[in-house]
Amino acid sequence: MAQEDVFKKLVAHCKEYGFVFPSSEIYDGLGAVYDYGQNGVELKNNIKKYWWDSMVLLHENVVGLDSAIFMHPTIWKASGHVDAFNDPLIDNRDSKKRYRADVLIEEQLAKYDEKVEKEIEKARKRFGESFDEKQFRETNLRVIENQGKRDKLHERFTQALNDGNLEDLRQIILDEEIVCPISGTRNWTDVRQFNLMFGTEMGSTADGALKVYLRPETAQGIFVNYLNVQKTGRMKIPFGIAQIGKAFRNEIVARQFIFRMREFEQMEMQYFVRPGSELEWFEKWKTTRMKWHKALGFGDDNYRFHEHEKLAHYANAAVDVEYKFPFGFKEVEGIHSRTDFDLSQHQQYSGKKIQYFDPELGESYVPYVIETSIGVDRMFLQVMSASYCEEEVGTEGKSDIRVVLKFPPALAPVKLAVLPLVKKDGLPEIAREIIDDLKFDFNCQYDEKDSIGKRYRRQDAIGTPFCVTVDHQTTEDQTVTIRFRDTMEQKRVAIGELRGIISGEVSMKKLFAKIV
Ligand code: GAP
């Protein structure tokens, strides 16, 4: 199935099974804003728990914070967001559609990459075992030509971004003959900068009201609380502060479902270190974060690091963790070495000394910061994309397609469904007793409607790792059938064994064991 079709099916599935709904749907929706349904919120909470515990429980020097969304407006001046938090936008005059100029060029770069990869894959198949990729890259003319074009474009693009040269961004789009996907024309306007922050007013009268912003990142809440946490927690450098919370950006080009939203959630951690040690910590956090992703078992080849074309105004090193979504490799997480930029700026703008006295060095300094920043919603989309499967299965001699979400059990919204075979003979009562016994340990669901086969399919579609069927034999020997989602294997076990079997599989400890 084409990847585009997979993605369409995934979006439809999210809605049909209560994961994600368009916001304000009965009023025809609100662009790039989404609501999470009954299963979506459970999955989202599990993702957040996986992140939070991996930061705060696994690192004794990382503590949490929950700062307010509204903050003093000078914070955004100090952080550089008022002046520099912009996207370069370009319009196509024929379709009247607006695009991010940098994204159009990035897509062009990806096209060259794809051409090179295709040639390599073809050759790999042709030559089999004896294929030497390095030699092929160096000698195949088509590969050399496309790689050359890509490298030249990359260099020019990076230069234009670093210089803030909007005219050259436009010229690149023209020179590369990039067309609008809707109109198919190259009738482009100039490139303009557009600030992404949402502003509003706080206070009762228009005259006295204070212009405030909805935060575009949670990180600033951490920086302005650095002193509070360091002092009250008696934290010693290096230490980290982790926070999960909403962020808002007026994304003009919002596409690909929950990948780019106007209201979204971030999980950010700022790690405060001694100046000069930041690049070492940057490398350590890169490794730790990649392990966190890979522990979910979605395939190591589906991840890569991507170096930034242009460093943000606050960074001296930056890398993205990219995941292979159905629409290509895209950023899920950013890891930045933010120097002492933010704390120094807040020190200057607030007039308060924001420093750390290092007892080992006997001196005070403004700490340097390594940041790991991941979008909850993008992580949600990663988990969904990786878990969605359509499988051909034979039922009673007929072939059938089952849609199954093969979530890592620790992230699954519902861990266990208990299904009485029939709605009589005391079977529902036993099923309820099982749920009463297990509901404080696991999110359980009771279902007695339709055939067992249909009930299994419903649970597969929301990714429930275990189904337990209560039948007449249960009334005689206190055993049930447990069915495993991925293999569809069924086993007869005693009711008393259920807690042990399930907790072994759904515990986050299994994931944490892979990352410590
Ligand atoms: N504090 C640094 C920061 O905010 P960022 O790269 O702009 O860095 C970090 O954002 C992460 O937040 C991204 O990797 C992405 O997962 C998520 N994110 C950013 N903008 C988003 C949007 N419009 N919709 C959904 N997630 C977004």
Side-chain angles (χ1 to χ4, degrees), residues 236-269:
K236 294 209 167 22
I237 270 179
F239 75 92
I241 305 179
Q243 165 156 245
I244 300 179
K246 289 270 182 161
F248 305 83
R249 294 182 190 179
N250 195 4
E251 301 279 2
I252 294 304
V253 187
R255 265 183 293 162
Q256 286 151 337
F257 191 39
I258 55 172
F259 183 80
R260 199 175 297 288
M261 302 158 88
R262 296 200 168 106
E263 173 179 341
F264 58 101
E265 217 168 347
Q266 287 185 315
M267 306 188 278
E268 298 201 293
M269 196 278 305

mmCIF file of all heavy atoms in Angstrom, residues 236-269:
data_model
loop_
_atom_site.group_PDB
_atom_site.id
_atom_site.type_symbol
_atom_site.label_atom_id
_atom_site.label_comp_id
_atom_site.label_asym_id
_atom_site.label_seq_id
_atom_site.Cartn_x
_atom_site.Cartn_y
_atom_site.Cartn_z
ATOM 1 N N LYS A 236 22.796 20.727 42.790
ATOM 2 C CA LYS A 236 24.204 20.977 42.439
ATOM 3 C C LYS A 236 24.391 20.703 40.956
ATOM 4 O O LYS A 236 23.881 19.724 40.424
ATOM 5 C CB LYS A 236 25.108 20.025 43.222
ATOM 6 C CG LYS A 236 25.075 20.294 44.711
ATOM 7 C CD LYS A 236 26.375 19.916 45.371
ATOM 8 C CE LYS A 236 26.500 20.452 46.769
ATOM 9 N NZ LYS A 236 25.267 20.782 47.461
ATOM 10 N N ILE A 237 25.132 21.562 40.327
ATOM 11 C CA ILE A 237 25.386 21.391 38.898
ATOM 12 C C ILE A 237 26.289 20.191 38.657
ATOM 13 O O ILE A 237 27.241 20.018 39.428
ATOM 14 C CB ILE A 237 25.986 22.710 38.342
ATOM 15 C CG1 ILE A 237 24.802 23.579 37.890
ATOM 16 C CG2 ILE A 237 27.000 22.496 37.229
ATOM 17 C CD1 ILE A 237 25.147 24.917 37.348
ATOM 18 N N PRO A 238 26.017 19.284 37.700
ATOM 19 C CA PRO A 238 24.951 19.389 36.722
ATOM 20 C C PRO A 238 23.610 18.907 37.290
ATOM 21 O O PRO A 238 23.569 17.930 38.025
ATOM 22 C CB PRO A 238 25.416 18.450 35.611
ATOM 23 C CG PRO A 238 26.221 17.405 36.302
ATOM 24 C CD PRO A 238 26.869 18.084 37.469
ATOM 25 N N PHE A 239 22.537 19.592 36.895
ATOM 26 C CA PHE A 239 21.198 19.108 37.252
ATOM 27 C C PHE A 239 20.203 19.551 36.181
ATOM 28 O O PHE A 239 20.490 20.449 35.380
ATOM 29 C CB PHE A 239 20.771 19.609 38.638
ATOM 30 C CG PHE A 239 20.374 21.072 38.685
ATOM 31 C CD1 PHE A 239 19.045 21.444 38.513
ATOM 32 C CD2 PHE A 239 21.315 22.052 38.898
ATOM 33 C CE1 PHE A 239 18.672 22.782 38.567
ATOM 34 C CE2 PHE A 239 20.955 23.393 38.942
ATOM 35 C CZ PHE A 239 19.631 23.764 38.775
ATOM 36 N N GLY A 240 19.034 18.891 36.199
ATOM 37 C CA GLY A 240 18.054 19.189 35.148
ATOM 38 C C GLY A 240 16.685 19.519 35.722
ATOM 39 O O GLY A 240 16.357 19.128 36.852
ATOM 40 N N ILE A 241 15.904 20.271 34.948
ATOM 41 C CA ILE A 241 14.509 20.548 35.303
ATOM 42 C C ILE A 241 13.653 20.112 34.112
ATOM 43 O O ILE A 241 13.914 20.516 32.970
ATOM 44 C CB ILE A 241 14.258 22.045 35.599
ATOM 45 C CG1 ILE A 241 15.217 22.546 36.692
ATOM 46 C CG2 ILE A 241 12.808 22.282 35.997
ATOM 47 C CD1 ILE A 241 15.067 24.032 37.039
ATOM 48 N N ALA A 242 12.649 19.270 34.412
ATOM 49 C CA ALA A 242 11.809 18.717 33.343
ATOM 50 C C ALA A 242 10.404 19.283 33.460
ATOM 51 O O ALA A 242 9.904 19.501 34.571
ATOM 52 C CB ALA A 242 11.763 17.197 33.482
ATOM 53 N N GLN A 243 9.778 19.491 32.334
ATOM 54 C CA GLN A 243 8.423 20.034 32.362
ATOM 55 C C GLN A 243 7.629 19.520 31.151
ATOM 56 O O GLN A 243 8.163 19.432 30.056
ATOM 57 C CB GLN A 243 8.483 21.560 32.322
ATOM 58 C CG GLN A 243 7.154 22.229 31.994
ATOM 59 C CD GLN A 243 7.037 23.657 32.488
ATOM 60 O OE1 GLN A 243 6.222 23.947 33.330
ATOM 61 N NE2 GLN A 243 7.854 24.543 31.961
ATOM 62 N N ILE A 244 6.341 19.243 31.405
ATOM 63 C CA ILE A 244 5.430 18.891 30.305
ATOM 64 C C ILE A 244 4.337 19.951 30.278
ATOM 65 O O ILE A 244 3.774 20.275 31.327
ATOM 66 C CB ILE A 244 4.785 17.506 30.526
ATOM 67 C CG1 ILE A 244 5.858 16.414 30.604
ATOM 68 C CG2 ILE A 244 3.786 17.188 29.411
ATOM 69 C CD1 ILE A 244 5.323 15.013 30.854
ATOM 70 N N GLY A 245 4.044 20.489 29.120
ATOM 71 C CA GLY A 245 2.961 21.484 29.088
ATOM 72 C C GLY A 245 2.629 21.946 27.693
ATOM 73 O O GLY A 245 3.326 21.648 26.725
ATOM 74 N N LYS A 246 1.534 22.701 27.625
ATOM 75 C CA LYS A 246 1.045 23.191 26.337
ATOM 76 C C LYS A 246 1.931 24.307 25.798
ATOM 77 O O LYS A 246 2.467 25.103 26.574
ATOM 78 C CB LYS A 246 -0.375 23.736 26.514
ATOM 79 C CG LYS A 246 -1.402 22.646 26.751
ATOM 80 C CD LYS A 246 -1.990 22.160 25.443
ATOM 81 C CE LYS A 246 -3.053 21.116 25.714
ATOM 82 N NZ LYS A 246 -3.969 20.909 24.621
ATOM 83 N N ALA A 247 2.032 24.367 24.484
ATOM 84 C CA ALA A 247 2.696 25.477 23.800
ATOM 85 C C ALA A 247 1.827 25.846 22.589
ATOM 86 O O ALA A 247 1.024 25.021 22.126
ATOM 87 C CB ALA A 247 4.091 25.062 23.355
ATOM 88 N N PHE A 248 1.995 27.076 22.133
ATOM 89 C CA PHE A 248 1.102 27.588 21.072
ATOM 90 C C PHE A 248 1.932 28.294 20.001
ATOM 91 O O PHE A 248 2.794 29.107 20.332
ATOM 92 C CB PHE A 248 0.109 28.593 21.677
ATOM 93 C CG PHE A 248 -0.675 28.020 22.823
ATOM 94 C CD1 PHE A 248 -0.141 27.985 24.108
ATOM 95 C CD2 PHE A 248 -1.941 27.484 22.617
ATOM 96 C CE1 PHE A 248 -0.844 27.439 25.174
ATOM 97 C CE2 PHE A 248 -2.650 26.931 23.675
ATOM 98 C CZ PHE A 248 -2.098 26.917 24.962
ATOM 99 N N ARG A 249 1.651 27.973 18.750
ATOM 100 C CA ARG A 249 2.345 28.669 17.657
ATOM 101 C C ARG A 249 1.348 28.916 16.537
ATOM 102 O O ARG A 249 0.602 27.997 16.165
ATOM 103 C CB ARG A 249 3.511 27.822 17.117
ATOM 104 C CG ARG A 249 4.591 27.661 18.147
ATOM 105 C CD ARG A 249 5.779 26.868 17.624
ATOM 106 N NE ARG A 249 6.660 26.569 18.759
ATOM 107 C CZ ARG A 249 7.773 25.878 18.681
ATOM 108 N NH1 ARG A 249 8.192 25.410 17.524
ATOM 109 N NH2 ARG A 249 8.486 25.646 19.767
ATOM 110 N N ASN A 250 1.373 30.120 16.009
ATOM 111 C CA ASN A 250 0.448 30.444 14.929
ATOM 112 C C ASN A 250 1.016 29.932 13.609
ATOM 113 O O ASN A 250 1.458 30.706 12.759
ATOM 114 C CB ASN A 250 0.232 31.966 14.887
ATOM 115 C CG ASN A 250 -0.963 32.322 14.040
ATOM 116 O OD1 ASN A 250 -1.673 31.448 13.541
ATOM 117 N ND2 ASN A 250 -1.188 33.603 13.864
ATOM 118 N N GLU A 251 1.037 28.607 13.495
ATOM 119 C CA GLU A 251 1.601 27.963 12.304
ATOM 120 C C GLU A 251 0.727 28.317 11.115
ATOM 121 O O GLU A 251 -0.478 28.058 11.125
ATOM 122 C CB GLU A 251 1.629 26.438 12.474
ATOM 123 C CG GLU A 251 2.437 25.933 13.655
ATOM 124 C CD GLU A 251 3.928 25.875 13.368
ATOM 125 O OE1 GLU A 251 4.339 26.262 12.260
ATOM 126 O OE2 GLU A 251 4.680 25.456 14.269
ATOM 127 N N ILE A 252 1.331 28.902 10.108
ATOM 128 C CA ILE A 252 0.542 29.285 8.937
ATOM 129 C C ILE A 252 0.372 28.095 8.014
ATOM 130 O O ILE A 252 -0.672 27.875 7.419
ATOM 131 C CB ILE A 252 1.237 30.461 8.197
ATOM 132 C CG1 ILE A 252 1.208 31.676 9.107
ATOM 133 C CG2 ILE A 252 0.557 30.784 6.884
ATOM 134 C CD1 ILE A 252 -0.160 32.087 9.591
ATOM 135 N N VAL A 253 1.431 27.325 7.927
ATOM 136 C CA VAL A 253 1.336 26.154 7.071
ATOM 137 C C VAL A 253 1.218 24.937 7.977
ATOM 138 O O VAL A 253 2.202 24.348 8.384
ATOM 139 C CB VAL A 253 2.579 26.040 6.175
ATOM 140 C CG1 VAL A 253 2.403 24.921 5.175
ATOM 141 C CG2 VAL A 253 2.816 27.356 5.469
ATOM 142 N N ALA A 254 -0.007 24.632 8.343
ATOM 143 C CA ALA A 254 -0.222 23.513 9.253
ATOM 144 C C ALA A 254 -0.736 22.341 8.429
ATOM 145 O O ALA A 254 -1.783 22.437 7.803
ATOM 146 C CB ALA A 254 -1.222 23.918 10.312
ATOM 147 N N ARG A 255 0.061 21.281 8.382
ATOM 148 C CA ARG A 255 -0.338 20.132 7.571
ATOM 149 C C ARG A 255 -0.029 18.851 8.319
ATOM 150 O O ARG A 255 0.554 18.861 9.387
ATOM 151 C CB ARG A 255 0.458 20.131 6.261
ATOM 152 C CG ARG A 255 -0.287 20.808 5.135
ATOM 153 C CD ARG A 255 0.506 20.707 3.872
ATOM 154 N NE ARG A 255 1.739 21.476 3.947
ATOM 155 C CZ ARG A 255 2.778 21.304 3.127
ATOM 156 N NH1 ARG A 255 2.742 20.379 2.215
ATOM 157 N NH2 ARG A 255 3.848 22.050 3.237
ATOM 158 N N GLN A 256 -0.394 17.748 7.694
ATOM 159 C CA GLN A 256 -0.051 16.423 8.212
ATOM 160 C C GLN A 256 -0.595 16.180 9.611
ATOM 161 O O GLN A 256 0.132 15.803 10.540
ATOM 162 C CB GLN A 256 1.458 16.220 8.139
ATOM 163 C CG GLN A 256 1.885 15.979 6.723
ATOM 164 C CD GLN A 256 3.290 16.436 6.444
ATOM 165 O OE1 GLN A 256 3.820 17.294 7.138
ATOM 166 N NE2 GLN A 256 3.877 15.896 5.411
ATOM 167 N N PHE A 257 -1.917 16.479 9.745
ATOM 168 C CA PHE A 257 -2.641 16.010 10.931
ATOM 169 C C PHE A 257 -2.011 16.596 12.189
ATOM 170 O O PHE A 257 -1.775 17.799 12.244
ATOM 171 C CB PHE A 257 -2.618 14.479 10.876
ATOM 172 C CG PHE A 257 -3.497 13.741 11.828
ATOM 173 C CD1 PHE A 257 -4.772 14.193 12.128
ATOM 174 C CD2 PHE A 257 -3.068 12.559 12.407
ATOM 175 C CE1 PHE A 257 -5.568 13.488 13.011
ATOM 176 C CE2 PHE A 257 -3.865 11.846 13.276
ATOM 177 C CZ PHE A 257 -5.110 12.316 13.581
ATOM 178 N N ILE A 258 -1.690 15.782 13.190
ATOM 179 C CA ILE A 258 -1.173 16.338 14.439
ATOM 180 C C ILE A 258 0.337 16.580 14.393
ATOM 181 O O ILE A 258 0.950 16.867 15.413
ATOM 182 C CB ILE A 258 -1.533 15.442 15.650
ATOM 183 C CG1 ILE A 258 -1.043 14.006 15.420
ATOM 184 C CG2 ILE A 258 -3.029 15.476 15.907
ATOM 185 C CD1 ILE A 258 -1.199 13.123 16.650
ATOM 186 N N PHE A 259 0.932 16.484 13.205
ATOM 187 C CA PHE A 259 2.381 16.726 13.128
ATOM 188 C C PHE A 259 2.692 18.193 13.394
ATOM 189 O O PHE A 259 3.644 18.514 14.104
ATOM 190 C CB PHE A 259 2.924 16.334 11.749
ATOM 191 C CG PHE A 259 4.409 16.489 11.651
ATOM 192 C CD1 PHE A 259 5.249 15.526 12.177
ATOM 193 C CD2 PHE A 259 4.977 17.624 11.074
ATOM 194 C CE1 PHE A 259 6.627 15.684 12.128
ATOM 195 C CE2 PHE A 259 6.352 17.784 11.025
ATOM 196 C CZ PHE A 259 7.176 16.810 11.546
ATOM 197 N N ARG A 260 1.919 19.092 12.827
ATOM 198 C CA ARG A 260 2.159 20.530 13.030
ATOM 199 C C ARG A 260 0.856 21.173 13.465
ATOM 200 O O ARG A 260 -0.064 21.333 12.672
ATOM 201 C CB ARG A 260 2.682 21.170 11.749
ATOM 202 C CG ARG A 260 3.358 22.493 11.982
ATOM 203 C CD ARG A 260 3.965 23.054 10.718
ATOM 204 N NE ARG A 260 5.030 22.232 10.157
ATOM 205 C CZ ARG A 260 6.251 22.096 10.662
ATOM 206 N NH1 ARG A 260 6.576 22.737 11.765
ATOM 207 N NH2 ARG A 260 7.161 21.342 10.076
ATOM 208 N N MET A 261 0.772 21.518 14.739
ATOM 209 C CA MET A 261 -0.476 22.039 15.293
ATOM 210 C C MET A 261 -0.286 23.471 15.793
ATOM 211 O O MET A 261 0.841 23.923 15.984
ATOM 212 C CB MET A 261 -0.913 21.165 16.476
ATOM 213 C CG MET A 261 -1.100 19.713 16.117
ATOM 214 S SD MET A 261 -0.970 18.689 17.581
ATOM 215 C CE MET A 261 -2.654 18.706 18.142
ATOM 216 N N ARG A 262 -1.405 24.130 16.036
ATOM 217 C CA ARG A 262 -1.307 25.492 16.597
ATOM 218 C C ARG A 262 -1.302 25.440 18.134
ATOM 219 O O ARG A 262 -0.741 26.299 18.770
ATOM 220 C CB ARG A 262 -2.468 26.337 16.065
ATOM 221 C CG ARG A 262 -2.357 26.499 14.560
ATOM 222 C CD ARG A 262 -3.152 27.665 14.028
ATOM 223 N NE ARG A 262 -2.785 27.922 12.658
ATOM 224 C CZ ARG A 262 -3.534 27.632 11.586
ATOM 225 N NH1 ARG A 262 -4.733 27.104 11.735
ATOM 226 N NH2 ARG A 262 -3.093 27.887 10.371
ATOM 227 N N GLU A 263 -1.956 24.443 18.688
ATOM 228 C CA GLU A 263 -1.876 24.196 20.128
ATOM 229 C C GLU A 263 -1.350 22.786 20.291
ATOM 230 O O GLU A 263 -1.927 21.851 19.744
ATOM 231 C CB GLU A 263 -3.283 24.312 20.753
ATOM 232 C CG GLU A 263 -3.308 23.901 22.204
ATOM 233 C CD GLU A 263 -4.684 24.022 22.847
ATOM 234 O OE1 GLU A 263 -5.545 24.745 22.317
ATOM 235 O OE2 GLU A 263 -4.893 23.369 23.874
ATOM 236 N N PHE A 264 -0.230 22.642 20.981
ATOM 237 C CA PHE A 264 0.363 21.313 21.120
ATOM 238 C C PHE A 264 1.021 21.203 22.490
ATOM 239 O O PHE A 264 0.963 22.137 23.289
ATOM 240 C CB PHE A 264 1.363 21.044 19.978
ATOM 241 C CG PHE A 264 2.485 22.039 19.874
ATOM 242 C CD1 PHE A 264 3.745 21.756 20.370
ATOM 243 C CD2 PHE A 264 2.285 23.271 19.287
ATOM 244 C CE1 PHE A 264 4.784 22.669 20.279
ATOM 245 C CE2 PHE A 264 3.312 24.202 19.192
ATOM 246 C CZ PHE A 264 4.558 23.905 19.689
ATOM 247 N N GLU A 265 1.624 20.063 22.727
ATOM 248 C CA GLU A 265 2.212 19.849 24.044
ATOM 249 C C GLU A 265 3.689 19.486 23.885
ATOM 250 O O GLU A 265 4.046 18.746 22.959
ATOM 251 C CB GLU A 265 1.455 18.721 24.759
ATOM 252 C CG GLU A 265 1.303 18.965 26.221
ATOM 253 C CD GLU A 265 0.318 18.012 26.888
ATOM 254 O OE1 GLU A 265 -0.431 17.320 26.178
ATOM 255 O OE2 GLU A 265 0.306 17.953 28.097
ATOM 256 N N GLN A 266 4.506 20.008 24.788
ATOM 257 C CA GLN A 266 5.938 19.701 24.728
ATOM 258 C C GLN A 266 6.395 19.011 26.010
ATOM 259 O O GLN A 266 5.813 19.237 27.081
ATOM 260 C CB GLN A 266 6.751 20.993 24.588
ATOM 261 C CG GLN A 266 6.651 21.631 23.219
ATOM 262 C CD GLN A 266 7.567 22.837 23.089
ATOM 263 O OE1 GLN A 266 7.621 23.658 23.988
ATOM 264 N NE2 GLN A 266 8.283 22.946 21.979
ATOM 265 N N MET A 267 7.438 18.204 25.879
ATOM 266 C CA MET A 267 8.101 17.621 27.058
ATOM 267 C C MET A 267 9.547 18.116 26.946
ATOM 268 O O MET A 267 10.268 17.714 26.023
ATOM 269 C CB MET A 267 8.051 16.094 26.995
ATOM 270 C CG MET A 267 6.624 15.558 26.811
ATOM 271 S SD MET A 267 6.454 13.781 26.960
ATOM 272 C CE MET A 267 6.940 13.213 25.324
ATOM 273 N N GLU A 268 9.902 19.037 27.835
ATOM 274 C CA GLU A 268 11.216 19.663 27.704
ATOM 275 C C GLU A 268 12.020 19.480 28.987
ATOM 276 O O GLU A 268 11.469 19.497 30.088
ATOM 277 C CB GLU A 268 11.082 21.150 27.404
ATOM 278 C CG GLU A 268 10.369 21.413 26.094
ATOM 279 C CD GLU A 268 10.654 22.799 25.528
ATOM 280 O OE1 GLU A 268 10.228 23.792 26.140
ATOM 281 O OE2 GLU A 268 11.285 22.885 24.460
ATOM 282 N N MET A 269 13.328 19.324 28.806
ATOM 283 C CA MET A 269 14.217 19.208 29.948
ATOM 284 C C MET A 269 15.426 20.106 29.698
ATOM 285 O O MET A 269 16.044 20.033 28.640
ATOM 286 C CB MET A 269 14.642 17.747 30.105
ATOM 287 C CG MET A 269 15.249 17.395 31.432
ATOM 288 S SD MET A 269 17.003 17.783 31.608
ATOM 289 C CE MET A 269 17.726 16.926 30.228
#
